[in-house]
Amino acid sequence: MMLFLSGTMPTFAAQIYVTLRPSVLDPAGTAVESGLKQLGYNGVTGVRIGKYIQLHLAADDAAAARQQLDRLCDQLLANPTIENYRFEIAEVAPQ
Amino acid sequence: MMLFLSGTMPTFAAQIYVTLRPSVLDPAGTAVESGLKQLGYNGVTGVRIGKYIQLHLAADDAAAARQQLDRLCDQLLANPTIENYRFEIAEVAPQ
């Protein structure tokens, strides 16, 4: 027999990658690239700097977690006009 | 017969993840978390914001690329006192 405790939603660990769209200039990346060249790393090109966001999320199941992540990325974590995002989720084993 | 062109080093695409050490407070993450709660996402906890850096690197082989990435992360991309980093590399197929 299996017991399901009602009221305890599973928790998902999410890793979210927010990157500038390829057509958008990345001044911070350009600055880092020229800094690297000044340090002697001449083989480095195409530096792009994005955000890497980690969070935990309670949701009924993986599909609900993905849906919620899509919404919160669109609303707060990414700027859809100039940024793309993708994410990975993994269920966290209950304590 | 195979021809190797000397002088053309392979190129590696690197993805670098820079995160705050777990013991270091993340005020930006806390701000995002309270912003999400105000939007109604009450199931979100533990928001941590790091950097996601993409670049291309010319190196003799994968081991040399990894060694160079370790050095440039320590020197410029991460602050070893408060941040951790890890990276993945993949050789880019020659054009």
Side-chain angles (χ1 to χ4, degrees):
Chain A
M1 192 182 81
M2 290 182 76
L3 276 178
F4 292 97
L5 295 175
S6 68
T8 54
M9 278 197 279
T11 302
F12 297 87
Q15 308 193 66
I16 305 164
Y17 310 87
V18 179
T19 50
L20 284 170
R21 288 182 186 271
S23 60
V24 176
L25 288 177
D26 181 355
T30 307
V32 165
E33 192 169 320
S34 83
L36 288 171
K37 286 198 199 307
Q38 280 172 31
L39 290 172
Y41 299 101
N42 295 307
V44 176
T45 54
V47 179
R48 305 283 287 176
I49 301 182
K51 279 176 287 184
Y52 171 56
I53 301 163
Q54 295 165 290
L55 55 81
H56 281 76
L57 182 71
D60 286 329
D61 52 32
R66 291 182 175 282
Q67 207 174 36
Q68 217 178 120
L69 280 168
D70 266 325
R71 283 205 313 268
L72 62 87
C73 283
D74 279 331
Q75 286 189 10
L76 193 82
L77 300 180
N79 177 348
T81 312
I82 58 166
E83 291 172 326
N84 290 322
Y85 66 83
R86 64 186 168 83
F87 54 75
E88 296 153 6
I89 61 170
E91 188 168 347
V92 179
Q95 304 301 311
Chain B
M1 192 182 80
M2 291 181 74
L3 277 178
F4 292 98
L5 296 175
S6 67
T8 52
M9 278 197 280
T11 301
F12 297 87
Q15 309 192 67
I16 305 163
Y17 310 87
V18 180
T19 49
L20 283 171
R21 289 181 185 272
S23 59
V24 176
L25 289 176
D26 181 355
T30 307
V32 165
E33 193 170 319
S34 82
L36 288 171
K37 286 197 201 307
Q38 279 171 32
L39 290 173
Y41 299 101
N42 295 306
V44 176
T45 54
V47 179
R48 306 280 290 176
I49 301 182
K51 280 176 284 183
Y52 172 56
I53 303 163
Q54 295 166 290
L55 54 82
H56 281 76
L57 182 71
D60 288 326
D61 53 32
R66 290 182 176 282
Q67 206 173 37
Q68 218 177 122
L69 280 169
D70 267 324
R71 283 205 312 267
L72 62 85
C73 283
D74 280 328
Q75 285 188 10
L76 194 82
L77 299 181
N79 177 349
T81 312
I82 56 165
E83 290 172 329
N84 291 321
Y85 67 83
R86 65 186 167 83
F87 53 76
E88 296 153 6
I89 60 170
E91 189 168 348
V92 179
Q95 305 299 312

